[in-house]
Amino acid sequence: MTDCHLKRAVVCLRRIDESQEQVVKRKRVNSYDCDGKGKTKKRKMDEESEAATGNHRKDQMEFESAEGENLDPSLEGFLQIMDHMFERTADLDLAEIMDNEDEDLSAVSSSDPVLDESLLGPIVLESDKLKSYGLTNKISCRKLVRLLKILHLCVTVPAAVVDSEDIESFSDIDDDSLKQLIASLNASLAILNIMTSPGMPKVVYMEELVLRIVKTAKLYLQNFLYAQFDPRYCMDKEFVKGRSVSAAKRNDRAATRDGRALQMYALLTRILALLSHLVEMQELTDVFVLEASSLAISPFLVENVHELQLVSLKLTYKIFSRYEKHQQLILEDILLLLAKLPCTTKNIRSYRNSHSEQIQRLTMLILHLFQSVVKCTKDVFKSKKIQADDNVTAELLSSYNKSLKTAQVFLSLFLSKCSARSEEDYRPLFENFVMDLLDIVHLPEWPSVEPILIILSSLLVKQFRTKSADMPSRVAALGYLGLIAARLRKEDASRRENSEIEDVLTQHGFQLLDEVQKAAHLQNLLLDYLSIKSEDESSSYFCRLFYIAQWCSDHAKSLSSSPVAGEMNGLSKEIVSRARSAHCSSSSSNGPVRNESASQAVNGLSKETISKVQTVLQALLTKKCPESGTMLLSSSGARAVARYLASRRSFVQKSHSSVLHSCADVSLMHILLIVGETTSALRSKAMKCLAGVIDADPQVLLMREVQDAIHCRCLDQSVSVRDAAIDLLGKSILQNEDLVDSYYGMLSERILDTGISVRKRVIAIFRDVCLKFPMHSKVPDMCGQMLKRIGDEEGIKKLVTETFEGMWFTPLDETDVVAIRQRVDNIVGIVAACRQSFISDWMEQLVFSLLKKEKDRHHALILSTCKTIVNGLVQVLPDLVEEFKDGSVPDCSRLVAAFTSLYIFCKLKPEFLVPHCNSLHIFLDPDYLSQMDNIVRHHAVHVVEMILPFLKNPDQQLMTQIENFLKKLILSLGTLIVQRSFSCLAVLVKKVTHNYSTVEFCFHKFFRVLLHYQIEHEKNPSSPILKSNVPLLLRSLFIVGLLCEHFDCDEFGDHTTDDLLDRIFQTLFYFTSHESEDARMKALDAIGHMAIAHSDLMLQSQLRDLYTRHLSDASLSVKLCCQVLKNIRAYLVEEEARMMAADHRWKELHNQESLKEMADVQSGMAGTIIQVYLKMTLELSFFPDVDVRLSALNLIATVLHQGLVPPNQCVPYLICLGSDYNSSISQKANHWLKEIHKKDQRFIQAKEALQGVRMSYQLQLKLHDSRIATAHDTNSSTKPSSLNGFLYSLLRANRGYRRVFLRSLLRLFDDSQDTDLKELIFASDCVAGFGFQQQDEVLYLIHQLDSIVSNSGSNVLRLFTKVLYPDKAEQKKRDDEDDDEEDLDSVLQIMPEDVTRFRRLCVKSQRFHLLLLLRRFLMSHYGISDRIIQQYSPTDSAKMYDKPLNIKNSSKFNSGSNVIDALLQQQDISRRELAKVYLSFKDLMIAICDVAEDENLNQAQTGKAIAGLSSNGSS
C-alpha cells in the first residue's frame, strides 16, 4: 500500500468518526423508547450509572483508607504502573486533548513518554491478572477513568504512523514505527481488559474509546495483516479486478510473516475476543454495532487466519443475537462482501468440520447466525434446577420462529439479488451456498440446514412460478429446486440402505422401544454428543438450543394439527392435488413459508398443547449430563441419529398434517407440475431435475405420476424437452436392466426423431446398454437400429462409427480364441436379427468409414482387427453348417449372417479372404446342402469372384472345380445366382484360366435354342411344342444376354460371321413382341444386359423406339415399363463403375495412356443417352402404379448421383414424389431434395417449389381417381401435417425464400389467376399443415392473405349485394343499414328466382372463403390474436417476431370440400344451401372488416390526441 492510500484511509476514518458521533448525538434520545414515567431509557441508564458510581466511590474510599495495609501483589503492581503513567502525563490536559485530539495528537505521538512499550506491556499483563482475580473493581473509579484516557492517547498514535510517506507495506515499517503499532494494540488490549472485568461501574464504558479501538483494529487488519497471511488479499487494483497475485509477491509476503506479524495477529485476536465479551456485558450504541459487525465479518474473507475467525465468529453471533434490529443489515453486509470477493476465492471451501465435509466459511457464519437467534434468558444447560415454565417455553418457540423468519428474509434477499440485473453476479455465490447446505444436511452440528432448505424450496417454487420474472431466473430457480430434491432423496435412500442407526439402537438397547421412546432417547444421545463437543466449539450451545426448540415446535405442531388417515406412500393423486393447492397459495401469498412459518404464534396454542410441550422440554432439560471426555456416539453415529430424527420428523408431519410434507416430496411434486408448463425451457429443465432425482433414488421411477410425465415429455414438441426425457430414461435403464424391455419401444421410435440431439441421445443410450448388458435380448435389434443411422448427418455418423469401433473393432489377441469367438458370435447374431432390414448396406458403410481413415497406427490396428474377425468368421462356418444339418437351429439364418458379414469385409478388403478360398469354394457346389438358402450361395459366388483376381499361382484343380460348380449353378438355379455366376465365370476365365471353351459351349447351346425357337415361332406361333418349351426359352434369353454383357462376341468361337452381334440383337429383339409377357420381359432384360457392354445400341433407332413406346405409354405393360427403367439405370450404374475402374487404372498408368480422356468420352455418352429418356422418365412420376413411380425415382436418383443433368430439372418432380403416400418413395425423394438443397440452396427456388406443389396436386388427382385431393398427411395422426411439409422445412431457414414461396402459393387464390377450386383446396390444406415454428411465418402469411381478401373478396361481396338488391335505391338503403341484420330467412326472401348468377358468385367466393377459413384456423391453431396481426408489419425487424410458436389447438383444417364439390359438379343445390354459402362468406368478411375498422379508429383517436397535445404545447 502506498502512503497516499494510507493517508486517504486515515482521513476517511476520521471523517466517518466525526459524522457518526454527530449522528449519535442527534439521535441519542430518539433511538430509545420512553418509559412510563416520561424519561427516556438513556436518561434512566445515566441515572443508574451515577447511582452505581456513587456506590462504587464509597467502596473506593474504604479501599483508599486501607492502602497502607497489605495489598494483593497483582493489585499493588498494577497501581505502581498506573501511578508511574500518571506522573509521566501530569503535564497533559487530558480533557482538552480528548476534546481536540486532531490538533494535539501528532505532538504526543512523537515525543510523549506514554508511548513507551515498557509501560504498556506490563499494564496489559497486570490488567489481565486483575481481571482473572476479579480485583479491578477495587481501584478508584477516578483513577480508572484517567488511565483509560491516557491509554486512549496510545490507541490514537498509529494514525501518525500511517501518515508517514515512507511506509508502503508491512515490510517497510521500521522498528520504531512497529513498536508504536504494537503499543497501540497493547493499549487497546489493556482498555478492554479493564472494561470487561467483573463488577465495573458504567462510567468506565466509554463508547468513544471502544469505537476508536474497533476502527483501529479494522484498519490494522485490512491495511497490514490480511495481506501477510493471505496472498490473494490485496488492496491494489489487481485485487479489485479479481486477478491473482504473482508468485513472486506471494513468496515475498509469505517470507515477511515473521514474529512481528504473528505478534500483531495474536494481539488482534485477543482484542476481538474481548470485544465479544464486552458486547455480552454492555448495551452499546448503533454506531458501535455496525462497526463491530463489519470488523467481525471481514476475517471470513481471508485465508490462514483460523484463530481470528473463531473469535470473530463469537463476536458476530453475539451481536446478531443481541441486536435484532441490526440483523438484516448484518446479512446485507455479508452479501456485499461476498460479491466483492475476487474470482480466485469465490469457490474456496476451506472450513472443514468434524465429519470431513468442507464448506465456505461465510456459509458456516450464516448458519451460526441463524442458530444464534434461538435463545433463552435462563442458561438451561448450566442451571442445576431448571423449570420449563410458560416463559421458557414461549421464549424458545418464539425465538425459533424468529430464527426461521430471519432465514427467510435472508434467502429472499439473496434470491432477489440473483434475479436483479446489476454489475455483480450473485448466481454463482448462491449456487455455492446451496451446494454447501446440501453437503452438510443432516450433520448434527447444523440443525438449521433442513429448515433452511424447506424455506428455500418454497421460495424457489414461488420464484419459478412467477410469470413476471425473467426466464433465466425461473430456470435457475427450478434447477436449484432439483438439486435440493435430488440430494434429499439421496439422503433418504442412503438412510434406508444404511444400517448404522440399527447399530446405535442395538448398542444402547433401544431396539425394543416404540418409535416415540426411541426418538426421545436418541434426542438425549444427540444432545450429549453435542455437549461433549462444546469443549471444542462454543457454538454448540446454540446448536443444542436450536435442536430443543425445533423438537418442541414440531411437537406443538403435531398436537395442534388434526390427524389424517393413513401415511403418504409414494406420490399419490391426493398429494399431487395438495401440491397444486399449495402452489396456488404459495404463488399468491407473499407471507412467510407455511411449513416453517413464524406466523404460528405461541399464543395461538391451547393450554393443553403448551402443557404437553413443557413436558417434553422438561424431559430434555433434566437429563443426566455425561461425564467429560466420554463419547456416547461416534461422528458417523451422530450423523445417523440426526438423519433418523429428521426422517421421523418428516413422517410425523406427514401423518399429522394435511399440509406439511417432507421437503423432498414437495419439491418432487412441484417438479412434476412444472413438467406440463407451456414454456419449453422450464419443461426441459424440469425433466433434467427429475433425472437428477431418479438418479439419486431410482425408486422414484416406479411412481405412476413420474412415468406418465416421462411418457408425455418423450412426445413433446420441443426438441430440448424430448432430449431431456430420453436422457432421463437412459439413466434409469442403465440402473435397472428390467426397464429395457419396458422402454425399448419408446426409445426405438425416438431414434428417428427430427431433433439431432435426440437421435444422438438414443444412440448413446443403446451403446451403453449394449456394453453394460451384452446378453440382453434387445441388443441385436439395438445394434441394427444404430447401424441404420450410419447414413445420417455427420455428427450422428461419427457417433455410430465410434460406437461400433469400440464394440467390434478394438484390437484382439489372435491367440485368444474365446474372445474372438465371442465377438464373431456377436456380429453374426446382430446381422441375423436384422436380416430383413438391409443391414448389409449399413454395415458396409460402417466398415468403409472405418477403413477410409488416414493410414496411421490406429488404421493399422483396425485393419488387423478386421482380418482377425474375417478369420474367425471363416472358422465358424463349419460349426454353423453342422448346426443346420443337425436341425439344432430352425433355419440357416446364422449361416446367412456369417456369409453376409464375409461378403461385406471382402467387398472392402478382398485380400483378407484370399487364404480361405479353399474353404469357401465348397459352398458353390449345388449338391452341397441343397436345402441351403440361395443367399448363402449368392454371397459365396460373389466372395469367390472378388478374391480370384488376387490369387497368385492358383491351384489349377481348384480352379477347375470352381468352373464346374459355376456351370452347374448356371444350368440349374435361378436368375439371381445365374447372373452372379456369369460375373464370376467371366473373372475366372479372363483373369485366371483363360478357358473360353466353356463360354463357347454355353453360348452355342443357348443361342441355337433361340434360333430354333424363332424359326418355329415364325412358322406356327401357336404350336404346343413351343408353349412347352417356354421355360427353356426364358433361360436361354437370360443366359445369352448375360454372355453378351460379360464376353466379347469374338470369344464365342464363331469368327466367320461379322454380323454376329447384330444377329444376336435381332434375335433378342424378335422376342420383345412375343405374345407371352414373360418372354417379352426376358427379351428386354437380355437386351439391357447386352446394351451395357455395347452402349451404341442405346442410341440405335430400333431400341430407342422400343424404349420410348414403353415409357411414353406405360399402360401397355407396367412390368415392361419398369424393366425399361431398370435397363437404363443398370447401364448408367455399370458405366459409372467402368469409369471409376478406368480412372483408377489411369492413376497407375497416367504416364503411358490417357485413360481419363476415355472416361470423359464415356461420361458424355451416358449424358447423351439419358437426355433421350429423361423427360419421359420424369413424367412417369404421375403414373398411378407405385412400382413405376419407384422405378422412375430410382433412375432419377442415379442420374442426380452421377451429375448427368442439372438438378433444377428434377426438383419439381422430386417435390411431387415427396408427397407420395408410399413411404419408400417419399423418403427417398425428400432425401435427394435435402442433398440438393445442402449443396446449393439456389436449386430450390420459389418457382420450382410452386411447380412441385402443383405437380403434387396432379399426382394426388391420379391417386384419388380425379376426386378432390387433399394435402393432409394421413400417416400423421398427432398433429396436422402437409404432404409437402418437408419442402417447406427446407425453405424455412431462409426468410427471403420462405416469403416468396408463401406469396406465390397465395397468389393462386387471386381472381386474376384461373386456378381450379380443387387445386385451391389442395393448396390451402398444404399451407395449413406446413408446421410453422415462428410467429413471423404465420403473421406474414396472414398479412398477405388479408391483402388478397380485402381487395378481391370485397368486390365479390359487392357483387352479391347487386344480385340481391337490383335496385340502386335499395342498394343505397342497404348500405346505410347494418349488415348484421341479414339472416337465412331474409336472404331467401330477397334471393332472385333465377339463381344461376347467384350460384356463379358462390363458386367464385369459395377461393376467398378458403383463405378466410385458413386464416381462422391459423389463429386458433397457434393462438394468434387480432391485436398482434394488426400490429405486425412485414418490414419489422426479424428478431421482433422471432419467437417460437406453441400449438394451442390440435384440430385439423376443414376446407369445406363437400360444398365446393357440390357446386362444381352442377348438382341440384337448394336455395337454402346457397344462402348458407353466402352468409358464411359474408360473416367471415365482416369479421375481418370490423377488426380493421376498430384498429383504424384507435389509430385515428391516437392521432387526434397527439395533435391536440401538440397544439396545446405550441399555444
Side-chain angles (χ1 to χ4, degrees), residues 1054-1069:
D1054 191 357
H1055 299 285
T1056 59
T1057 307
D1058 298 333
D1059 59 345
L1060 178 60
L1061 181 63
D1062 185 61
R1063 286 181 58 197
I1064 297 173
F1065 175 76
Q1066 294 299 332
T1067 303
L1068 296 177
F1069 192 83

Side-chain angles (χ1 to χ4, degrees), residues 96 331 340 408 511 515 586 629 1164 1367 1373 1471:
E96 183 179 356
L331 294 175
K340 292 180 180 179
Q408 182 184 0
Q511 68 274 19
E515 292 298 326
S586 64
D1367 191 1
K1373 180 180 178 181
R1471 295 166 60 89

Side-chain angles (χ1 to χ4, degrees), residues 1232-1241 1244 1290-1291:
W1232 278 104
L1233 276 177
K1234 182 179 179 181
E1235 291 297 321
I1236 293 172
H1237 187 262
K1238 188 187 300 183
K1239 290 181 180 178
D1240 194 344
Q1241 296 183 5
I1244 306 179
L1290 295 178
L1291 299 175

Side-chain angles (χ1 to χ4, degrees), residues 1389-1420:
Q1389 291 177 1
I1390 61 177
M1391 187 181 294
E1393 294 296 331
D1394 186 7
V1395 296
T1396 303
R1397 188 180 177 190
F1398 190 84
R1399 178 168 181 163
R1400 285 199 300 267
L1401 286 177
C1402 288
V1403 173
K1404 187 175 183 179
S1405 68
Q1406 290 308 298
R1407 63 177 60 236
F1408 309 110
H1409 190 261
L1410 285 172
L1411 290 179
L1412 293 172
L1413 290 176
L1414 177 62
R1415 183 183 193 274
R1416 186 173 65 181
F1417 168 77
L1418 293 174
M1419 292 177 63
S1420 172

Side-chain angles (χ1 to χ4, degrees), residues 354-572:
S354 59
H355 298 266
S356 298
E357 299 287 349
Q358 285 188 286
I359 61 174
Q360 297 179 109
R361 290 185 301 273
L362 282 171
T363 303
M364 176 266 296
L365 172 63
I366 294 169
L367 295 178
H368 273 302
L369 295 183
F370 292 156
Q371 292 176 181
S372 67
V373 178
V374 179
K375 59 186 177 181
C376 185
T377 54
K378 300 180 181 180
D379 195 343
V380 295
F381 298 114
K382 293 184 179 180
S383 301
K384 296 182 179 179
K385 294 182 180 180
I386 182 68
Q387 183 65 31
D389 53 8
D390 293 349
N391 294 331
V392 174
T393 305
E395 186 179 12
L396 274 178
L397 296 179
S398 177
S399 61
Y400 176 72
N401 289 332
K402 287 180 181 178
S403 174
L404 299 184
K405 187 174 182 179
T406 304
Q408 182 184 0
V409 171
F410 171 76
L411 294 174
S412 301
L413 179 64
F414 209 163
L415 273 176
S416 65
K417 288 186 176 294
C418 293
S419 304
R421 296 181 179 179
S422 60
E423 296 180 358
E424 302 294 343
D425 188 6
Y426 284 86
R427 287 175 295 179
L429 304 174
F430 185 78
E431 184 175 355
N432 290 336
F433 177 71
V434 174
M435 295 305 299
D436 286 344
L437 295 180
L438 296 177
D439 288 340
I440 61 175
V441 65
H442 296 154
L443 288 184
E445 293 86 353
W446 310 107
S448 60
V449 172
E450 187 185 10
I452 290 175
L453 287 176
I454 296 175
I455 296 172
L456 180 58
S457 300
S458 181
L459 292 175
L460 291 173
V461 169
K462 180 180 176 182
Q463 176 77 10
F464 68 72
R465 285 291 186 183
T466 303
K467 301 292 184 180
S468 59
D470 59 324
M471 188 54 61
S473 300
R474 297 177 66 189
V475 173
L478 182 58
Y480 297 141
L481 185 68
L483 286 175
I484 294 173
R487 186 54 181 265
L488 294 183
R489 275 284 175 182
K490 185 176 182 180
E491 287 287 324
D492 190 31
S494 63
R495 179 187 60 82
R496 294 194 304 265
E497 298 173 359
N498 194 355
S499 62
E500 190 165 1
I501 187 63
E502 299 297 333
D503 299 338
V504 173
L505 294 174
T506 304
Q507 179 182 357
H508 295 84
F510 299 156
Q511 68 274 19
L512 300 179
L513 302 178
D514 59 15
E515 292 298 326
V516 177
Q517 293 176 339
K518 284 181 183 178
H521 285 80
L522 290 176
Q523 288 172 357
N524 290 331
L525 280 177
L526 188 59
L527 293 177
D528 293 342
Y529 169 81
L530 294 173
S531 66
I532 296 173
K533 287 185 67 62
S534 64
E535 298 177 358
D536 301 327
E537 299 181 13
S538 58
S539 59
S540 293
Y541 169 83
F542 293 105
C543 177
R544 288 180 290 159
L545 202 60
F546 193 94
Y547 267 124
I548 293 175
Q550 186 181 48
W551 295 331
C552 292
S553 178
D554 294 339
H555 191 63
K557 291 175 182 177
S558 63
L559 293 174
S560 60
S561 302
S562 59
V564 294
E567 302 176 5
M568 183 177 64
N569 296 322
L571 195 59
S572 62

Side-chain angles (χ1 to χ4, degrees), residues 1238-1255:
K1238 188 187 300 183
K1239 290 181 180 178
D1240 194 344
Q1241 296 183 5
R1242 294 173 295 179
F1243 285 134
I1244 306 179
Q1245 296 282 355
K1247 179 181 178 181
E1248 288 80 7
L1250 180 62
Q1251 187 180 357
V1253 173
R1254 303 192 75 172
M1255 286 182 178

